[in-house]
Amino acid sequence: AATAASPLGPCAGHSVTVWGTKLVILGGHVKHFDAKQAGAKGAAANATMLVRVYEASSNTLWTPATSGPAPGARGGHSAVLLCGTKLYVFGGEDAGRRALGDLHCLDLETWTWSGPLTPQGTAPAPRAAHAAAAYQGRYMLLFGGGSTATCFGDVAILDARAPTAGGATGLRWLAPTMQGPKVSARAGHCGAVAGDAWYVVGGGNNVKGCTDLLALDLRGLGSLPPYGADDTPAIPLMWHSLSSTPPRDALSSEGVSLLVLQHPQGEASSGGSAAGNGGSVAPPTKGGVLLAFGGYNGKYNNMASVLRTPVTMAPLLTDAATAPAATAKPAATAAAAKPAAAAPAAAAKEAPKPNAQQAQAAAAAAAAADKEKQIAELKAALENARKDAEAAVREAAAAKDSSAQELALLRKQAATAQAQLETAQKGLEDARAALAKESARVLRLEAQLAEAQRGLAAAAEERKELEALRRQAKEAAEAAAKKGSGGLWGYIAGSGNSS
């Protein structure tokens, strides 16, 4: 049974996945008091991953009653919806900043956890802050991410319908063959799938932020033929660098959110967000719009950026196999026309081999076109390297200025601390002198007190002697009184003295 959830408190590194009219919110880093506000009890709130569901149609937030072995609490993970109702969760980091590499699945129909799962193949290294997306409702795409001191630049694919030895389908990690320009390692980036392209933007590594907008051509995965349980399928995927942004631009930030919006003349395709979440994927789009929002690059951004995707894949992801043929056609025609303009004898001599000449000319033209393409790619790579170097120089200069300002501030703080220390030392010396004076005064008072105590003791002795003398005088007076008290009766009795 589901229970109503408290309002969402401060949270970071969680995942949000669209499922119909619902948003499934998993995990995230929360402070201890936030967990208590969410209705959890003590440290048990961080034991397993929190699951919350927002129903957009009724504007309600509730917590489903899950069963099965739930994954540990974490943030920076990825969550991708495959096969309609299976929400796969990978990686992240725990409260101790330890990178995780386990895989779990939440069945959204029964709210049942399963895992840790052990697919066939080689699993990617533990990581957090990676980008993830769904493709064709079957594949989970992973790119980049990192741990405390390492950033990754690899791509991994989880096939949710891989063949098994028993004839059924299961899970399997696939290792694609990457082509195109070398992509720098990064973490904190975001990605979204539109048609057969996975767009990636933002992120950074331990050196600098990433300023390139990338697109990964997924057609090699989309056209993957059926393979056997013992096969190692070849999956060629090609990176394309589309553009570059300034180093301080919002699109070169970490933690950017990226979504695919529906195009007026086409269907939108679900993809991953900045947290790595994704959904079931529609057929290839006829066109769309990428919407990026937020990010952090030294300051928090609230900027929204829009990029229109092409109607077809051709303008963006050029097929390398067709470009040389189109370029080679005019060259082949010119080469074939050259022998026709020669002398008749020469033309007659070469007539038996027109096809060979045309083939050689076409091959030469294709080779020349390929060289020109390689030169163009090299120039583009050099230009990108130059831009990266200039950006690095600017960042280094900015870092130098910032370091100089921080050093000046630290020196000022050190001077202030030194002055405060000297003042404190002087105060300490004054306090020590005052303490010495007070100690001498105390000694004098103690001597006076001892003298007074001796005087009091002598006075007490004198008082005792006085009391003894008073008693003796009183006794003598009483004896004298008794002796002189005979009177007339004493005289009669003959006890009086005769004169």
Side-chain angles (χ1 to χ4, degrees), residues 187-201:
H189 49 291
C190 59
V193 171
D196 292 321
W198 187 19
Y199 297 92
V200 177
V201 68

Side-chain angles (χ1 to χ4, degrees), residues 161-249:
R161 297 173 182 167
T164 62
T169 58
L171 300 175
R172 182 172 180 177
W173 289 110
L174 303 177
T177 302
M178 305 309 299
Q179 301 174 356
K182 184 178 180 180
V183 174
S184 61
R186 65 194 68 196
H189 49 291
C190 59
V193 171
D196 292 321
W198 187 19
Y199 297 92
V200 177
V201 68
N205 48 46
N206 296 327
V207 179
K208 62 177 181 177
C210 296
T211 60
D212 49 351
L213 172 61
L214 302 173
L216 182 61
D217 187 353
L218 301 174
R219 289 176 293 176
L221 182 62
S223 60
L224 180 67
Y227 61 93
D230 298 329
D231 296 338
T232 303
I235 308 173
L237 300 181
M238 179 173 289
W239 281 113
H240 296 265
S241 181
L242 305 182
S243 64
S244 180
T245 60
R248 296 297 178 182
D249 192 85

Side-chain angles (χ1 to χ4, degrees), residues 13 29 49 72-79 89-94 97-104 122-133 140-158 173-176 178 183-189 198 204 239 274-276:
H29 295 300
M49 176 176 281
R74 66 193 63 198
H77 54 280
S78 58
V89 178
F90 173 78
E93 61 182 12
D94 57 18
R97 302 296 303 275
R98 182 175 62 93
L100 306 173
D102 48 349
L103 179 68
H104 299 262
T122 303
R127 65 191 65 198
H130 50 282
M140 179 180 187
L141 311 174
L142 298 177
F143 167 58
S147 58
T148 304
T150 304
C151 285
F152 300 100
D154 57 339
V155 174
I157 302 173
L158 177 67
W173 289 110
L174 303 177
M178 305 309 299
V183 174
S184 61
R186 65 194 68 196
H189 49 291
W198 187 19
W239 281 113

Side-chain angles (χ1 to χ4, degrees), residues 25-43:
I25 307 168
L26 297 182
H29 295 300
V30 297
K31 292 185 178 180
H32 189 63
F33 66 88
D34 295 330
K36 288 185 176 180
Q37 290 177 357
K41 296 182 179 179

